[in-house]
Amino acid sequence: MTARAIALDNLRALSADELVAHLREQRGQLFQVRLQQTIGQVENHREIRAIRREIARTMTVQVEYKLAAERGEPVPAPAAPARRGRRAAAAAVEASPAPSRRRRSRAAAQPTADEPAVDVTDIEVERPQAETTDTTGAAAADDDEEWKET
């Protein structure tokens, strides 16, 4: 199992409230690292990238939970975090044989008669608010008038 898959399994083991807290914590950590970077105290500049990816993973799991709720499925219960090692991999293979890739992709692409197709463009994700600026060009027009007067 790759590190990415393990990280996702660990996030899927969290409840919805724990995911929100984890996301808040990761955003705070990103803020701190960016602040240290501007001051010049960052020892590992790749840490920003790792934190951003962790935030993306967290938001992905939140969207999965939201889609499950919209479909009327129960929100997945927190599971035990993924274990590493040959024994864990062997136990997982014996427990449930995975369908082939072709069957999985067809099943994922085709909505069943019981569930309607879900449009993922309508999903709302919590994002930080950016400051709004005047994009009408009123300030630029004032600058042009001052230049013409001189």
Side-chain angles (χ1 to χ4, degrees):
M1 202 177 234
T2 64
R4 289 182 212 167
I6 292 170
L8 268 174
D9 286 344
N10 290 339
L11 287 174
R12 287 184 179 126
L14 301 176
S15 68
D17 294 333
E18 291 171 337
L19 277 175
V20 171
H22 181 72
L23 182 62
R24 187 176 299 120
E25 177 184 325
Q26 291 298 316
R27 285 185 173 158
Q29 187 176 1
L30 180 63
F31 175 78
Q32 291 296 324
V33 172
R34 283 186 175 162
L35 183 65
Q36 290 174 357
Q37 184 180 27
T38 58
I39 297 172
Q41 295 179 349
V42 173
E43 295 175 12
N44 184 5
H45 67 280
R46 308 238 341 137
E47 188 176 357
I48 292 175
R49 184 177 187 183
I51 295 170
R52 285 177 46 215
R53 287 186 176 193
E54 181 69 18
I55 290 171
R57 283 187 197 105
T58 306
M59 292 172 72
T60 299
V61 174
Q62 283 181 330
V63 168
E64 288 175 358
Y65 284 3
K66 185 171 184 171
L67 286 175
E70 286 178 359
R71 290 184 200 139
E73 299 172 359
V75 175
R83 292 178 47 201
R84 297 177 100 176
R86 291 182 184 173
R87 290 182 186 170
V93 169
E94 291 175 9
S96 61
S100 68
R101 286 186 174 175
R102 177 174 285 167
R103 288 182 185 164
R104 280 188 293 199
S105 63
R106 285 183 184 166
Q110 300 290 331
T112 62
D114 296 339
E115 67 179 49
V118 177
D119 185 15
V120 293
T121 57
D122 296 336
I123 298 172
E124 295 179 20
V125 178
E126 178 184 337
R127 297 185 188 255
Q129 295 293 326
E131 292 183 23
T132 57
T133 58
D134 185 17
T135 57
T136 59
D142 293 339
D143 291 341
D144 290 339
E145 290 176 12
E146 291 177 14
W147 182 77
K148 289 179 184 177
E149 291 176 4
T150 57

